[in-house]
Amino acid sequence: NLDVTKRIIAADINPEYLKITKSRFSHYGKNLLVCHTDIQKEKLSFKNIDFIFAGLILEYVDTEKSLKKIVRTLNKDGRLVLIIQKSKKSDFVSKTRFSSLNTLSNFSNNVREDVVKQVLEEEKMMLSDREEFVFSEKKSFICLEYIFIDAL
């Protein structure tokens, strides 16, 4: 709803993904900003964000460094929702008809929930909600919602 949401930022390292995103969501017009960035190497150019959804990102980056960059873009009442994958290493990337996805297994890792909690507590955030979606005995996704402690 553009009456409530004034700006949507899609940030990714993959310019092709951003091109598809811009095309698929063109009805948002100037409210949609696509931002080509490498969270590992660059400073994030946006600030005062109300809500960030970071789904399955931490598995491919330095967790601590990236979380700190993400949190510092939030405003004081901002919310951060993370999706992390919990799986056995041999089954990190599901088998699909897209063989190119197999290369992700070479540089992906399981994100430890306790590490996320520690980093975010250092940034004065606390867990406000947690839900786990179990897909099999080998794989589940964990949804974590964090808010700033001062926002209570």
Side-chain angles (χ1 to χ4, degrees), residues 125-138:
M125 295 194 89
M126 62 176 274
L127 184 67
S128 65
D129 196 18
R130 181 193 186 280
E131 193 168 353
E132 185 167 358
F133 303 91
V134 179
F135 291 99
S136 70
E137 65 184 40
K138 294 182 180 182

Side-chain angles (χ1 to χ4, degrees), residues 29-152:
K30 64 181 172 84
N31 297 78
L32 174 64
L33 171 69
V34 295
C35 183
H36 180 239
T37 189
D38 182 345
I39 195 169
Q40 298 268 87
K41 298 177 182 172
E42 299 168 10
K43 183 178 179 181
L44 298 177
S45 61
F46 35 89
K47 295 281 182 210
N48 297 315
I49 304 298
D50 294 323
F51 178 82
I52 293 178
F53 173 78
L56 302 175
I57 293 171
L58 298 177
E59 289 77 5
Y60 305 99
V61 296
D62 177 300
T63 300
E64 183 175 350
K65 182 178 177 182
S66 299
L67 273 176
K68 287 180 178 190
K69 281 185 179 182
I70 290 168
V71 167
R72 292 172 185 165
T73 67
L74 286 166
N75 68 35
K76 63 181 176 63
D77 296 320
R79 291 182 180 270
L80 171 62
V81 173
L82 302 166
I83 305 289
I84 60 174
Q85 180 175 320
K86 189 165 110 178
S87 65
K88 293 185 179 178
K89 191 68 174 171
S90 62
D91 209 39
F92 191 84
V93 177
S94 299
K95 291 180 182 15
T96 70
R97 61 187 171 102
F98 303 106
S99 59
S100 62
L101 291 178
N102 292 332
T103 59
L104 293 176
S105 294
N106 296 332
F107 59 90
S108 58
N109 59 58
N110 277 311
V111 176
R112 290 185 33 209
E113 203 172 336
D114 62 322
V115 171
V116 169
K117 182 179 184 217
Q118 177 186 345
V119 171
L120 293 177
E121 283 179 351
E122 289 172 7
E123 296 295 318
K124 308 292 188 245
M125 295 194 89
M126 62 176 274
L127 184 67
S128 65
D129 196 18
R130 181 193 186 280
E131 193 168 353
E132 185 167 358
F133 303 91
V134 179
F135 291 99
S136 70
E137 65 184 40
K138 294 182 180 182
K139 184 182 288 189
S140 64
F141 292 121
I142 301 170
C143 181
L144 305 167
E145 180 179 2
Y146 279 86
I147 61 172
F148 285 102
I149 294 168
D150 293 342
L152 295 175

